[in-house]
Each structure stands twice: as structure tokens, then as C-alpha cells.
Amino acid sequence: MKSKVTYEGTEKGRRGLSDSGGAPEPRIRVPDAVRALIRKLEDEGFETWAVGGAVRDALQGIRAGAGDWDLATRATPGQVRRLFGRRTVRLGEEYGTIGVFGSDEVLYEVTTFRHDVITYGRKARVAFAQTLDEDLARRDFTVNAMAWHPRHRELRDLHGGREDLQDRVLRAVGSPRERFREDYLRVLRGLRFAGALDMRIDPATWDGLVEAVPGLSRLSMERVREELQKVLAGPHPSRSLVLYQRSGALARILPELREGVSPEALATVDVLDRGDWLLRMAALLLFGMKPGDATPGRVAGLLTRLRFSNADAERIGAAARGGLAPAAGIAADPFARRRWVADIARSGPSGVEDMLRIWRAVARAAPTCTDTDKVDRVAAGIRGDRAAGIPTSVGDLPVAGRDLVAQGWLPGPGIGAALRSLLEAVWEDPALNDRATLLQKVAAMKPARPPR
Ligand code: ATP
Ligand code: MG
């Protein structure tokens, strides 16, 4: 099929390519569904390119996930919607982005060429552009500012992104100072990309970034949280976290971490499963807050400020209650362990497992803080208790309040206290955890009021 599209600035694009050291023609595989979207737009006369992260990753030989392919087009959002009709979703029309379902049922972002981003503190307003080149010039880093045209097999690389990728340098497009000031989120994006892509930050870009750190306070907490979450969900968060600390960004967004991120904290965060980034967050707080500061209330308060959901804040709070290592008593004394587990279990269903995961990671990554044997002993004790059906709450006991009432107890707080004492008796001696034995024990107890 012949394209009706005419290309502007193609010569410049070609020059951009040969400028990057006469590199061989890149081999970039674009999913068929993405090619089909581009073809359909171009058949209508709208120039369209694959842009951003997927192009960057493809050039490094990393296969991007299907949904990571983003398209930039001359079509306006209205034109994209008219062309794809019911296969579209309004994602951020005011920013020029329409979601379009490909033939593979993956949702792709199709964004109209943009230039000048006008920022008013938190909000950005974008004006549409006529050319791809204008659009690329407003992107954040050179490695993110490349576009690929699958039909023409052309790489548009006006800012030297390919060379920077080769040299592993993260560099702002244009004047670093201005780019960071336009959108302070780029500070955090830069720290994340440098870590995730294992790149050095170009000195001028670093200076501009550090200078912009105070502006982070103006960002909405949601955007900050989302960035932090992306760092923590990556394969080696420590690389970005070190840069967070060095640039001053960490102290700016998490002033509660008065201890910063120690080598032990970094190693532990890396060892924890990336799929469970909330635990990485918990470890960061446990190491970074002053020992007396990491109370569940303060942890939850900090997380709420960062707009974590209540469920996430509670889960991290519960996991953080365990501290960095099992207290000596818990490792040595079954009664103390059972009371402790019951306490943690009350603040969340996954609290105990989360706590053990953090302790295990600390033992592996920071053996000076705790040792694996100790953690294993506690974990084995907990497993044994579970297998033996040892109750963690009065509700798990084989006797209930109505059994006491049947023995003549009056409903009221006395019954709760009696059940709690039975629970503790079972923790002391698990052999008592039997209905007949406990009923006998109740009979021997002094009821709150004499039987009628
Ligand atoms: P990843 O998805 O792996 O985090 P990405 O590069 O795809 O990385 P996205 O956030 O998906 O990042 O954005 C896609 C592209 O949009 C980027 O590559 C970049 O060109 C541009 N971009 C995104 N956010 C900004 C921003 N705040 N300032 C300038 N350009 C941006
Ligand atoms: Mg992306």
C-alpha cells in the first residue's frame, strides 16, 4: 500500500542518524498490531511514528512489552477518535493522548505531536505541533527522544540518543536547567532511568537536576509516589536510590528518613522480591527512620501523605512493626513468640509473612543486623504452631463466650478477660488447647458473678 504521507525534515533525520557515528541500520521489531495502527493513520494522511521508551529499549536489544509501544502522530485527538471509533479510550485527551486497541487487543497510546509544555506549578498545558521534530524536542532525555518509522525503516534521532545509549549517558534534551524547571517530575524520572538503564548522568544534566531538587516540593504527591513505586518495582532499585540520596531528592520527598539509605538498606531492598515493592518500601522506612520513629502510626502517616492507599499503608505499617530483626525474646521464648504473632496478625492478614520476608532479606543482605539461623528458628516455630492449631486469637479457641454463659457467667467484659487468660494459658502450654480441658479450667475459675 502506498502512503499518502509526505515527510518533513527527513533529510535532517537521516543526518541525525549518520551523525551517530555511522551506526549500522538499527534492527527494531515492531509488533504487527502497532504497524497496522501506523498504516491506518498514514493511509489517512497522518504521519505517525513509534516513539519513546520502546524505541530506546529495542535499540538496546530489550524487547519491550507490547503495551509499551507509544505512537506519535500528526492526527489530532479528535481525528484519532473518528478514525478508530469504538476501539478508542479517552486516556488524556487534554494532553493529546487517545488509547487505541490494536488487533492484538492491547491498548496503545496514540499522542498528537506536541510542542512547548507550559507548566503552572503542578499542571502542564500542551500545545500541539505540526512536526515530529518539534515533538521530539520537548521530550525529557535524549535516549527517550528517538522515533522509529517501521515502514521506512528510519530512525529519527536529532538529539544524539543512540550515541548516548551506546555510551550509557543520560542527557537532557536541550538546556537541562530549563527542562527540569518545566517539569520537576523529570528530576525523579532522570534518577530512575539512570538506575534502571545503568547510565551515568551527564555532568551538565546532573547540575541542572540537583538545582531543580527544591522544586520537587511543588509536585503532586501522587506523581511522586508513582515514580517511587516505579523505582521500587525495578530490578535494582538501589542504583536509583543512591542517586535519590546523592541529589538531595530523597531528603526532599522523604524527610522522615533521617538516617538516609545505608548500604545495608540498599542491599536489603535489592534482595526483596521486586514483585512485592511494598515490602521494599517497608524496608526503606525501617532502615531509614530513627529507631524510635518507625512506629506504626508514624509509618502510616508518612504513607498517607504520599497518597498510598489505606490498604497499602496498613500493610506496610504491619510489616514494619516487626522491626529489622526478631527481638531476642521472640527467638528464644515460644510464649513471647505466640503473643507477638497474635499482635502482628491483628494488624493485617499478611503481617506475619511480610515480617518474615523482611527479616530473611535483612539476614541475607545485611548479616550484621540479624542472622539467618535466628530468623529460621522463629519461622519454624510459627510453622509448628500453625500445624498444631495454636490459636492466635480468642476466636480460635475451642471454647467460646456461650460456653461460659452456659456455666453461669453473665455476659460482659469478664468473659472477654477470662477467654484472654485461656488463650495465654494455651500459649504457655499448648497441651491445654482442648475443649474438655479448657471447660474444666473455666469451671475452676471464679466467675465474675456467682452462678444463678
Ligand atoms: P518506561 O515506560 O520504561 O518507564 P518510557 O520512556 O516509556 O519509560 P513513559 O513514561 O512511558 O516513559 O513515557 C513515554 C515517553 O514520553 C518517554 O520516553 C518520553 O519521551 C516522554 N515523556 C514522558 N514523560 C515525560 C516528561 N515528564 N517530560 C518529557 N517527556 C516525557
Ligand atoms: Mg513507557
Side-chain angles (χ1 to χ4, degrees), residues 300 303 309-319 347-348:
L303 296 170
S309 72
N310 286 341
D312 287 352
E314 274 164 31
R315 183 167 167 218
I316 298 178
S347 52

Side-chain angles (χ1 to χ4, degrees), residues 44 130 188 234 305 311 339 377 439 447:
E44 295 300 314
Q130 284 306 306
L188 301 183
R305 180 170 61 75
R339 190 174 50 192
R377 253 193 331 272
L439 285 175

Side-chain angles (χ1 to χ4, degrees), residues 170 190-199 236-237 239-241 243:
L170 190 76
L191 302 174
R192 168 162 63 90
F193 287 126
L197 304 172
D198 200 9
M199 288 179 153
H236 296 288
R239 292 205 296 241
S240 292
L241 291 172
L243 298 172

Side-chain angles (χ1 to χ4, degrees), residues 30-43 71 84 102-103 150:
V30 179
D32 289 344
V34 175
R35 300 173 72 101
L37 293 181
I38 294 177
R39 194 178 322 121
K40 185 156 172 163
L41 280 155
E42 297 212 326
D43 283 347
L71 300 184
F84 293 99
S103 54

Side-chain angles (χ1 to χ4, degrees), residues 52-53 56 70 138-140 144 183 186 189 192-193:
R56 175 198 70 217
D70 297 321
R138 62 158 288 284
R139 291 175 183 265
D140 48 7
N144 286 347
D183 180 359
R186 291 174 186 156
R189 286 174 59 84
R192 168 162 63 90
F193 287 126

